[in-house]
Amino acid sequence: MVGRVVLLHALRGEHRAARPPVRQGEVLMRVDLDTPGAAELYDESRYSDQGMHAAWREMRARGGLHRQVTPDGQEFFAAVRHADVREVLSNHTAFSSAYSTMLSVRGDGDVAAGAAIHLTDPPVHSELKRIFTPLMTVPATQRLAQGIDERMRELFDTIRGRESFDFCADMVTLPMTVTGALMGIPTSEWPVTGRATVRAMGGTDAGESAYQRRLNLFEAHTTIMTVLGDVLEDAPAGDSVIGRCPRTAGVVEDPGRDVALLNAYAFLMGANPTIPQTINQMLILLAGDDDLWSWFTCQERTEQKFVDEALRWASPINHVLRRTTGDVTLAGTEVPAESLVTAWLGSANRDEEVFPEPFRFVPDRSPNQHTAFGFGVHRCIGQHVAIAGMKTFFDLWRESVRSVSLAGEPRHLVSNFLNGVVSLPLSVSWR
């Protein structure tokens, strides 16, 4: 069963916030840091209950790469500074993607390694990318904008007027309003794929057993693959992502694997995390700070700088994994060939050497060299579509909502890979 391929996209920003003074021209949000503990980056429980910013900050201060060990004894190196993360992601000749992108998928590597777009290196990666790029250019995204707006307004109508609800549960199809039609997935399958893509990336309940978590992950992956397989069998239109996936078999000639299905899976799992998780983190901020909400509601439209800062703050993807192709030196550390190296995007997005006051949310921050979409040849192919979807959402939220507050404690995904929110109780006053 294929169930372990995931495309790079974007972490939980800390939601414990104190209100700083508003300075001229700025609306700021400060994050209070926990006392750092032992820097065990693999431990998934730490991501669901306390976050990792304090540990990452301590590691950045020590400099260099950091040797870590998984529970089953696998050594890996951790890059936590912005410059080192950028080097790992940009230098595909030294740090290969054609093994796995997740710490939890190791051994012989990902079952889609060398076949799915995010698990290949040039020149194969470049050939695969050319198949899909025309669907996601700026002009192509502009043509998608009206449909995204219409579908998102329809989704808003399902919650409009409700004073309290769980945003994650009731807006589960939110990412599909942006990517569903582009992917070529029928609207009838949007709820099940929306739920399954979240569950396929980690545990939704910190109290569940390891066995139950594995079972839930398997069921989620099976659900996704079944939906995608059915869509492929129905020969979707060639102007959709899934409609173009059969062409990938001409680039990766591997009769032992369903290359088209692997790439369809990769795009779905890459498309769905960034949009809802960035929005979830921003709603936590907006619900917790009157000054930020006042600033937000005074804006005529959502600007690019705001989205960039939201992506930096949320960093939906905690890490991506690479494997060295030969001996290499990075940050003064000698790394042997075939070593595993993790690039921690959330840490890079709080690097004090790159971002002034990195633990404050600055909605008009510029410049903003966030890592949420990656760097180099693997920079997110769908970034324009994701940005368009987030701008549409925030414009509609501003237009529709008079006030918002938390109706309970947000609950986070149990995952060292995806910085996900799985429950977000909100109290809302509608316009």
Side-chain angles (χ1 to χ4, degrees), residues 147-177:
I148 292 173
D149 182 85
E150 291 173 354
R151 291 187 293 273
M152 203 171 288
R153 285 182 182 277
E154 291 175 358
L155 181 58
F156 264 65
D157 287 343
T158 65
I159 59 170
R160 193 181 303 277
R162 295 171 58 182
E163 295 182 355
S164 62
F165 56 94
D166 188 324
F167 183 86
C168 294
D170 293 318
M171 298 287 277
V172 68
T173 61
L174 175 60
M176 301 304 291
T177 65

Side-chain angles (χ1 to χ4, degrees), residues 185-199:
I185 298 175
T187 55
S188 60
E189 301 290 356
W190 289 6
V192 68
T193 52
R195 285 188 290 270
T197 50
V198 174
R199 295 188 67 87

Side-chain angles (χ1 to χ4, degrees), residues 92 145-146 161 319:
H92 65 271
Q146 181 176 346
H319 78 268

Side-chain angles (χ1 to χ4, degrees), residues 398-411:
R398 183 187 301 109
E399 170 189 315
S400 305
V401 175
R402 179 177 290 107
S403 64
V404 60
S405 61
L406 293 178
E409 185 71 13
R411 187 158 49 87

Side-chain angles (χ1 to χ4, degrees), residues 23-315:
R23 302 201 298 224
Q24 185 175 8
E26 294 183 319
V27 178
L28 307 175
M29 182 70 72
R30 183 185 298 279
V31 172
D32 297 327
L33 297 176
D34 297 326
T35 302
E40 296 177 359
L41 298 184
Y42 191 91
D43 183 1
E44 293 188 308
S45 66
R46 303 187 68 182
Y47 298 83
S48 64
D49 59 13
Q50 67 184 52
M52 294 296 293
H53 285 298
W56 285 333
R57 183 177 64 171
E58 185 179 49
M59 294 172 75
R60 287 195 302 272
R62 294 204 305 268
L65 296 186
H66 302 268
R67 285 182 171 84
Q68 298 274 301
V69 180
T70 66
D72 59 358
Q74 171 73 62
E75 182 181 73
F76 66 94
F77 293 85
V80 296
R81 296 186 303 177
H82 190 280
D84 302 331
V85 167
R86 182 163 191 155
E87 174 65 14
V88 171
L89 298 185
S90 300
N91 189 350
H92 65 271
T93 59
F95 302 97
S96 173
S97 299
Y99 168 70
S100 173
T101 56
M102 303 173 65
L103 265 177
S104 59
V105 182
R106 302 185 312 279
D108 294 331
D110 197 296
V111 294
I117 187 170
H118 67 301
L119 289 163
T120 55
D121 296 319
V124 173
H125 175 78
S126 303
E127 293 181 41
L128 291 173
K129 201 169 185 178
R130 276 193 288 271
I131 295 172
F132 301 100
T133 296
L135 300 176
M136 305 179 202
T137 61
V138 172
T141 299
Q142 291 171 342
R143 292 191 292 271
L144 295 171
Q146 181 176 346
I148 292 173
D149 182 85
E150 291 173 354
R151 291 187 293 273
M152 203 171 288
R153 285 182 182 277
E154 291 175 358
L155 181 58
F156 264 65
D157 287 343
T158 65
I159 59 170
R160 193 181 303 277
R162 295 171 58 182
E163 295 182 355
S164 62
F165 56 94
D166 188 324
F167 183 86
C168 294
D170 293 318
M171 298 287 277
V172 68
T173 61
L174 175 60
M176 301 304 291
T177 65
V178 181
T179 64
L182 176 61
M183 286 289 300
I185 298 175
T187 55
S188 60
E189 301 290 356
W190 289 6
V192 68
T193 52
R195 285 188 290 270
T197 50
V198 174
R199 295 188 67 87
M201 291 193 180
T204 58
D205 183 354
E208 67 186 4
S209 67
Y211 171 80
Q212 186 62 47
R213 191 175 304 168
R214 287 194 300 271
L215 179 61
N216 291 341
L217 289 172
F218 176 79
E219 291 178 346
H221 292 308
T222 302
T223 297
I224 295 168
M225 299 303 286
T226 300
V227 170
L228 296 177
D230 290 344
V231 175
L232 278 166
E233 287 184 3
D234 290 339
D239 60 351
S240 68
V241 170
I242 298 178
R244 293 193 174 207
C245 281
R247 303 186 196 180
T248 61
V251 176
V252 180
E253 297 181 4
D254 186 344
R257 292 187 289 181
D258 190 335
V259 175
L261 182 59
L262 293 175
N263 277 281
Y265 184 96
F267 270 100
L268 179 64
M269 296 299 286
N272 274 13
T274 300
I275 297 167
Q277 298 307 338
T278 301
I279 288 171
N280 290 342
Q281 301 294 350
M282 286 312 305
L283 290 180
I284 291 172
L285 285 182
L286 292 169
D289 187 89
D290 294 339
D291 293 329
L292 182 59
W293 177 253
S294 178
W295 177 92
F296 175 78
T297 55
C298 287
Q299 306 307 300
E300 293 185 2
R301 63 181 182 180
T302 302
E303 300 291 347
Q304 181 68 44
K305 289 180 181 178
F306 178 86
V307 176
D308 284 336
E309 181 69 347
L311 286 162
R312 182 192 75 87
W313 186 263
S315 304

